[in-house]
């Protein structure tokens, strides 16, 4: 049964925004109380957050489809819809987020670091929010915007200070088990370790983490054996420790050749040339192993390596090794630049940026692309003539009609707004008239301008009373 997963493909879908409401306030003796439709709620985001209590991506391996909740639609009486709840997905420290093409979207390191993998859709405005001095009674509302849906790849790169690398059965698992409290699987056959193991080591005042990377073999950088699955786990380590088996039973192997093979694989993988190296000659408790260690030690020193002879079984040479690693880790931490707080970068738009583009395609259709026009199209209810007319007004104010004319569009030409897979295509006319305009200006209700009998009677009564009062004041009995 799989217990460790360090690479998954995650399918995320943010929540859709709720639709706005088109409603008219109704009350006794007030048949036309004005628009009171509420706005739709915002759709929930899908958020990745680093949680150090999580050590594997196993949960997303079993259930890779994740969706946030939708925003609720608005209602009458100016009631806005409830916002959708954000979906927070905990990931291990050191998770890298990539798109399907392999481009890095985020590198999540540090407790609490977040990344919005899917942006929730914006809620639609109700007709109360759309009303204005010129548009007193809108008979439409805007639709909610669909939430962002995309596929991302999560890759886990272990965050450790020291990485133990070497051939299978070189004794890496035994070494980490005696240096720390980790309890990896230990057996006398190759590829016993199938997942990276982490341990915490205390040497004096320095506390550091050490990772046991599964055994590497020739061709690991090209994917042979378990190479590519776990070479990524050495990328974040400050120190690389070559664990060499001095008591190997294979006649075609020797420690120096093993070192050259592993170094070649690390070089082909790339990005690790600047990491300090140590060499550990393991299994010196065996007489033949001790003799071989003493034989190759001068060659390793001549290459510039620090060499330690240890025995995980006899527990010899471990103190010197742990304090040497602590010193290198401390130096690496001291040399690390101080992390600055995240700066807010504001990039204003260029003065000539219209916010959209108009291009004529080979089939003669004029395609309009831009964040605002595409969002406005998604928010429009095309079954409502007044809503279509409102969209035409917005596009005209943005300058889309003028740009179409400059591009050579004529009445009756096809215009598409949005990408090919979900574009809205229509026959363009320079001036779009909706049915509501036949009754007056768009968004107005002529019934609001009609005289009301009760109000007229009150005005007549008040006028008669004022005339009577004026005649009384002007009356002079002595004339």
């Amino acid at each position: 049964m799989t217990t460790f997963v360090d690479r998954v493909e995650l399918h995320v879908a943010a929540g859709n925004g709720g639709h706005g409401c088109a409603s008219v306030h109704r009350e006794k003796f007030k048949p036309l109380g004005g628009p009171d439709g509420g706005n739709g709620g915002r759709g929930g985001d899908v958020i990745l957050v680093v949680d150090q209590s999580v050590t594997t991506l196993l949960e997303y391996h079993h259930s890779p489809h994740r969706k946030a909740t939708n925003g609720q639609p608005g209602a009458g009486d100016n009631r806005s819809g409830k916002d959708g709840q954000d979906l927070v997905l905990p990931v291990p420290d050191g998770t890298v987020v990539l798109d399907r093409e392999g481009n890095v979207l985020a590198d999540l390191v540090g407790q609490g670091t977040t990344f919005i993998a899917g942006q929730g859709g914006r809620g639609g405005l109700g007709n109360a929010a759309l009303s204005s001095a010129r548009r007193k009674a809108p008979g439409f509302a805007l639709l909610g915007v669909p939430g962002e849906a995309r596929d991302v790849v999560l890759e886990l790169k272990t965050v450790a200070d020291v990485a133990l690398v070497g051939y299978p059965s070189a004794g890496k698992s035994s070494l980490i088990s005696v240096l720390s409290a980790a309890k990896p699987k230990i057996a006398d056959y190759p590829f016993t370790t199938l997942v990276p193991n982490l341990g915490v080591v205390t040497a004096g005042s320095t506390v550091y983490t050490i990772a046991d990377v599964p055994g590497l073999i020739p061709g690991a950088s090209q994917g042979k054996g378990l190479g590519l699955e776990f070479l990524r786990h050495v990328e974040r380590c400050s120190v690389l420790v070559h664990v060499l088996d001095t008591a190997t039973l294979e006649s075609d192997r020797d420690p120096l050749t093993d070192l050259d093979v592993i170094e070649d694989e690390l070089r082909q993988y790339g990005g690790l040339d600047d990491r300090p190296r140590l060499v550990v000659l393991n299994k010196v408790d065996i007489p033949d192993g001790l003799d071989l260690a003493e034989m190759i030690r001068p060659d390793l020193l001549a290459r510039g390596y620090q060499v330690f002879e240890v025995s995980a079984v006899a527990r010899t040479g471990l103190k010197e090794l742990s304090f040497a690693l602590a010193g290198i880790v401390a130096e690496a931490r001291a040399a690390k630049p101080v992390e600055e707080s995240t700066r807010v970068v504001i990039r204003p738009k260029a003065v000539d940026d219209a916010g959209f583009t108009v291009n004529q395609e080979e089939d003669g259709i004029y395609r309009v692309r831009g964040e605002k026009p595409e969002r406005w199209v998604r928010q429009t209810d095309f079954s409502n003539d007044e809503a279509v007319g409102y969209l035409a007004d917005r596009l005209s104010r943005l300058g889309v009609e003028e740009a179409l004319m400059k591009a050579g569009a004529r009445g009756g030409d096809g215009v598409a707004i949005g990408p090919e897979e979900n574009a809205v295509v229509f026959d363009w006319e320079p001036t779009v008239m909706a049915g509501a305009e036949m009754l007056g200006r768009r968004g107005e209700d002529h019934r609001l301008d009609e005289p009301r009998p009760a109000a007229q009677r009150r005005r007549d009564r008040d006028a008669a009373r004022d005339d009577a009062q004026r005649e009384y004041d002007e009356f002079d009995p002595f004339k």
Side-chain angles (χ1 to χ4, degrees), residues 129 335 367 392 449:
R367 187 171 299 277
D449 299 326

Side-chain angles (χ1 to χ4, degrees), residues 474-479:
E474 294 176 353
F475 176 72
D476 186 358
F478 299 100
K479 280 186 178 181

Side-chain angles (χ1 to χ4, degrees), residues 4-7 55 94 155-160 162-163 195-196 198 211-214 226-237 240 269 272:
F4 181 87
V5 174
D6 63 352
R7 190 179 191 277
T55 59
E155 284 189 354
L156 175 59
K157 297 181 179 180
T158 305
V159 179
V162 180
V195 301
L198 279 177
D212 165 23
V213 180
L226 300 176
L228 280 181
E229 293 296 324
F230 299 111
L231 268 174
R232 69 172 70 99
H233 291 281
V234 305
E235 290 187 25
R236 301 186 190 277
C237 298
L240 298 181
Y269 186 75
L272 302 172

Side-chain angles (χ1 to χ4, degrees), residues 401-479:
E401 282 200 358
E402 182 179 356
L404 285 170
M405 292 179 182
K406 290 181 178 179
R410 298 292 182 267
D413 289 345
V415 173
I417 300 180
E420 294 184 6
E421 55 271 14
N422 56 0
V424 173
V425 184
F426 56 91
D427 293 334
W428 179 66
E429 294 294 338
T431 302
V432 180
M433 297 296 292
E437 280 73 20
M438 305 307 174
L439 302 176
R441 292 183 298 180
R442 182 175 301 126
E444 294 186 350
D445 194 329
H446 66 280
R447 295 173 295 175
L448 295 176
D449 299 326
E450 292 179 353
R452 291 178 288 176
Q456 187 62 41
R457 285 195 298 270
R458 287 196 300 271
R459 286 194 292 271
D460 294 341
R461 186 174 61 250
D462 292 342
R465 185 177 61 250
D466 293 341
D467 291 342
Q469 182 65 39
R470 188 164 46 255
E471 291 179 1
Y472 177 80
D473 293 338
E474 294 176 353
F475 176 72
D476 186 358
F478 299 100
K479 280 186 178 181

Side-chain angles (χ1 to χ4, degrees), residues 110-398:
Q111 175 71 18
T113 305
T114 61
F115 171 71
I116 299 179
Q119 185 78 45
R122 181 183 302 190
L125 296 179
N127 65 341
L130 295 172
S131 62
S132 64
R134 296 185 56 189
R135 188 185 302 106
K136 297 180 180 179
F140 66 99
L142 298 184
L143 305 179
V145 177
E148 183 181 12
R150 63 176 172 178
D151 300 333
V152 295
V153 176
L154 305 183
E155 284 189 354
L156 175 59
K157 297 181 179 180
T158 305
V159 179
D161 298 303
V162 180
L164 303 180
V165 296
Y167 261 74
S169 297
K172 300 183 299 298
S173 298
S174 300
L175 190 58
I176 196 175
S177 68
V178 295
L179 285 173
S180 69
K183 302 299 180 184
K185 182 180 179 180
I186 300 174
D188 58 352
Y189 55 84
F191 297 110
T192 306
T193 303
L194 298 177
V195 301
N197 296 302
L198 279 177
V200 179
V201 182
T202 302
S205 59
T206 304
V207 179
Y208 58 92
T209 55
I210 186 169
D212 165 23
V213 180
L216 304 178
I217 61 175
S221 59
Q222 281 75 45
K224 189 174 181 180
L226 300 176
L228 280 181
E229 293 296 324
F230 299 111
L231 268 174
R232 69 172 70 99
H233 291 281
V234 305
E235 290 187 25
R236 301 186 190 277
C237 298
S238 302
V239 187
L240 298 181
V241 177
H242 286 283
V243 181
L244 303 181
D245 185 357
T246 60
T248 178
L249 299 178
E250 301 179 31
S251 58
D252 58 340
R253 283 180 49 201
D254 66 85
L256 291 178
T257 303
D258 291 354
L259 175 63
D260 294 336
V261 169
I262 299 302
E263 276 292 338
D264 185 62
E265 295 302 324
L266 295 176
R267 186 163 44 254
Q268 292 186 44
Y269 186 75
L272 302 172
D273 295 337
D274 60 335
R275 311 300 162 84
R277 265 88 159 159
L278 294 181
V279 172
V280 172
L281 300 176
N282 195 20
K283 304 181 183 180
V284 295
D285 56 307
I286 301 175
D288 292 342
L290 180 59
D291 294 341
L292 183 57
E294 293 177 352
M295 185 184 303
I296 65 174
R297 182 183 180 91
D299 293 334
L300 295 172
L301 293 175
R303 296 187 185 187
Y305 290 109
Q306 283 186 269
V307 182
F308 295 87
E309 298 177 6
V310 304
S311 171
V313 175
R315 301 191 176 222
T316 59
L318 300 178
K319 184 176 181 181
E320 295 81 359
L321 174 61
S322 64
F323 274 88
L325 292 175
I328 298 177
V329 169
E331 291 178 3
R333 290 174 178 173
K336 186 177 180 180
V338 179
E339 295 184 0
E340 298 181 357
S341 59
T342 303
R343 296 181 177 180
V344 178
V345 180
I346 300 176
R347 295 184 176 87
K349 294 183 179 180
V351 294
D352 58 347
D353 184 7
F356 66 92
T357 59
V358 176
N359 296 301
Q360 186 178 16
E361 300 183 344
E362 295 180 357
D363 55 2
I365 292 180
Y366 292 86
R367 187 171 299 277
V368 180
R369 296 300 308 273
E371 189 271 333
K372 284 186 177 180
E374 294 179 26
R375 173 164 53 85
W376 291 346
V377 165
R378 291 195 297 269
Q379 290 183 301
T380 300
D381 178 9
F382 286 93
S383 64
N384 186 307
D385 291 339
E386 191 176 349
V388 175
Y390 177 66
L391 171 64
D393 284 349
R394 301 178 88 179
L395 294 176
S396 178
R397 288 196 299 270
L398 187 63

